[in-house]
């Protein structure tokens, strides 16, 4: 897989150089002004990072923001492939990520060589690829989708065209069911959504009989079959705010509950459970959790880890991303801006 993260400068500061009395939020705010930076955060980030960001959203809306910003520096608080997308869309900007090790199990499950072989085996198929993948995989795809636009995009493709969908098999199966399309699925899955337990969910519903279940389509079908609503993070957020119920069970990465509590403070949100005996916070994404205020501060100060996508790869990966943005024109912008 192409390494798209530049090495840190030799004189880069480290956590050991941070004065323990430093007010990190103030220091980040000062750097934001000095560097004309925009901080973008995904819904799966820690609440304190979401609150610090200029904009919080899902990958579609974060991509739209990254493509449209006039900032000189984009600080992408999410996982590495999201920073990569920002760099592909805005090559003239400095794009930094707090931790270059913030990967993604879906990205890891889909490597360029086997994916190229998968494509070669199905030459008449359109390759529709979930945004949770590397720049190499995007470059080998026809169109990129996120969970909030996958159904719209698949429906826009010529009806007679069979589809290859990678890398999330659960999202692919869900979209195939919704659209009735002939879809061949790559066998990947998200390490978090894969582990929600049907058995424990059923027990939890018995204890909270009035709670509605909102689930992300990266969950297995055994979990989705118990859901009152299935949708992207943005969809789930809208659903719990607009639906007249007081209690919801949330089957996705639980840091999104931060935005739910802000938007609907009187409602109760219960994270969906993993298997019996598993820890309370095991649904926290370990990759998203790598980002901290210290690392955001250092990334801005050091201007790294910075993304750099080789131009030939960037132009190939840009095409299916631009196609995604065009085909999602009917998908309304969501997310929320924090006044700074
Ligand atoms: O597209 C995203 O941001 C992810 C990872 C999930 C979602 O449904 O928004």
């Amino acid at each position: 897989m192409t390494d798209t993260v530049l090495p840190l400068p030799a004189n880069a500061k480290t956590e050991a150089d941070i004065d323990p009395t430093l007010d990190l939020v103030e220091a980040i705010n000062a750097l934001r002004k000095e560097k004309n930076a925009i901080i973008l955060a995904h819904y799966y980030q820690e609440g304190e990072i979401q609150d610090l960001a200029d904009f919080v959203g899902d990958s579609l809306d974060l991509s739209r923001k990254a493509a449209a910003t006039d900032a000189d520096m984009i600080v992408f608080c999410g996982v590495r492939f999201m920073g990569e997308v920002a760099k592909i869309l805005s090559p003239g900007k400095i794009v930094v990520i707090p931790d270059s090790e913030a990967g993604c199990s879906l990205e890891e499950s889909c490597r360029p060589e086997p994916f190229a072989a998968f494509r070669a085996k199905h030459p008449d198929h359109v390759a529709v690829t979930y945004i949770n993948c590397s720049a190499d995989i995007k470059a080998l795809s026809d169109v990129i989708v996120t969970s909030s636009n996958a159904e719209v995009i698949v429906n826009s493709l010529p009806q007679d065209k069979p589809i290859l969908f990678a890398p999330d098999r659960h999202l692919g199966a869900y979209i195939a069911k919704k659209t009735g399309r002939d879809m061949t699925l790559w066998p990947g899955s998200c390490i978090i959504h894969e582990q929600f337990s049907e058995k424990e969910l059923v027990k939890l519903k018995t204890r909270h009989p009035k709670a509605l279940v909102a689930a992300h389509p990266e969950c297995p079908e055994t979990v989705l079959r118990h859901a009152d609503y299935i949708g992207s993070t943005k969809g789930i957020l809208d659903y719990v705010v607009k639906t007249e119920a007081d209690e919801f069970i949330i089957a996705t990465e639980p840091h999104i509950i931060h935005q739910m509590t802000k938007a609907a403070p009187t409602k109760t949100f219960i994270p969906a459970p993993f298997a019996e005996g598993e820890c309370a916070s095991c649904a926290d994404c370990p990759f998203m959790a790598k980002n901290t205020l210290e690392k955001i501060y250092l990334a801005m100060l050091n201007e790294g880890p910075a993304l750099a996508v080789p131009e030939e790869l960037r132009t190939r990966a840009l095409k299916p991303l631009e196609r995604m943005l065009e085909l999602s024109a009917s998908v309304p912008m969501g997310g929320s801006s924090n006044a700074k």
Side-chain angles (χ1 to χ4, degrees):
M1 223 137 62
T2 307
D3 185 359
T4 54
V5 183
L6 291 173
L8 280 172
N11 60 351
K13 301 275 187 256
T14 67
E15 293 204 12
D17 298 314
I18 301 178
D19 174 351
T21 65
L22 183 72
D23 181 328
L24 283 168
V25 174
E26 263 178 27
I28 290 169
N29 285 337
L31 283 171
R32 176 175 4 220
K33 272 207 190 112
E34 185 190 317
K35 310 254 177 184
N36 186 26
I38 184 171
I39 303 179
L40 303 178
H42 193 271
Y43 289 130
Y44 294 163
Q45 289 290 282
E46 282 290 344
E48 63 181 2
I49 297 179
Q50 296 188 35
D51 292 344
L52 180 84
D54 293 280
F55 180 80
V56 187
D58 69 356
S59 8
L60 175 62
D61 292 331
L62 291 166
S63 305
R64 286 166 160 165
K65 276 279 172 191
T69 185
D70 55 9
D72 295 319
M73 176 188 275
I74 299 172
V75 184
F76 212 116
C77 304
V79 290
R80 196 178 47 231
F81 77 79
M82 297 178 179
E84 228 173 55
V85 168
K87 187 66 182 177
I88 293 166
L89 293 170
S90 282
K93 315 272 180 212
I94 299 168
V95 179
V96 297
I97 51 177
D99 190 320
S100 58
E101 298 298 313
C104 168
S105 54
L106 282 164
E107 176 183 356
E108 281 306 317
S109 78
C110 192
R111 296 267 165 172
E113 271 182 27
F115 183 72
F118 181 60
R119 280 223 69 174
K121 215 172 139 194
H122 304 276
D124 54 333
H125 286 51
V126 190
V128 176
T129 306
Y130 193 28
I131 198 162
N132 297 38
C133 65
S134 64
D136 297 286
I137 298 296
K138 289 184 176 82
L140 291 166
S141 303
D142 294 310
V143 62
I144 302 302
V145 298
T146 70
S147 348
S148 58
N149 60 19
E151 190 178 341
V152 169
I153 291 180
V154 165
N155 275 329
S156 76
L157 300 173
Q159 284 299 321
D160 57 335
K161 270 283 183 195
I163 292 168
L164 289 186
F165 189 92
D168 191 298
R169 67 194 167 106
H170 298 306
L171 175 63
Y174 172 71
I175 297 296
K177 193 169 158 194
K178 288 281 283 189
T179 59
R181 297 297 296 260
D182 169 5
M183 287 171 64
T184 302
L185 310 178
W186 182 267
S189 63
C190 160
I191 47 166
I192 297 302
H193 291 89
E194 182 75 90
Q195 291 189 69
F196 290 121
S197 154
E198 179 187 21
K199 189 170 155 211
E200 294 305 311
L201 177 61
V202 170
K203 283 199 224 162
L204 186 64
K205 278 181 69 152
T206 316
R207 295 202 298 279
H208 298 269
K210 292 200 175 139
L212 298 177
V213 178
H216 194 279
E218 284 180 27
C219 295
E221 202 282 321
T222 49
V223 169
L224 296 183
R225 68 172 71 133
H226 299 281
D228 297 284
Y229 174 82
I230 301 169
S232 67
T233 49
K234 175 164 67 181
I236 293 177
L237 187 53
D238 282 353
Y239 170 76
V240 301
V241 173
K242 290 185 184 146
T243 305
E244 281 193 26
D246 293 327
E247 230 181 355
F248 296 87
I249 297 170
I250 306 300
T252 191
E253 211 279 355
H255 285 98
I256 192 171
I257 293 176
H258 183 66
Q259 291 297 321
M260 295 176 177
T261 309
K262 282 172 92 169
T266 60
K267 298 187 180 185
T268 302
F269 304 106
I270 308 163
F274 275 14
E276 192 177 15
E278 295 283 357
C279 55
S281 61
C282 12
D284 293 357
C285 171
F287 302 109
M288 290 277 178
K290 286 192 178 289
N291 298 334
T292 60
L293 292 187
E294 284 81 0
K295 290 180 191 171
I296 294 171
Y297 167 70
L298 288 172
M300 295 175 84
L301 191 68
N302 292 328
E303 302 198 354
L307 279 303
V309 183
E311 190 53 18
E312 186 272 337
L313 174 61
R314 191 190 75 80
T315 48
R316 285 193 296 122
L318 180 63
K319 268 195 208 150
L321 274 170
E322 284 185 331
R323 202 164 166 210
M324 169 186 86
L325 293 174
E326 279 161 32
L327 294 173
S328 326
S330 65
V331 179
M333 182 81 186
S336 53
S337 297
N338 293 320
K340 293 289 165 216

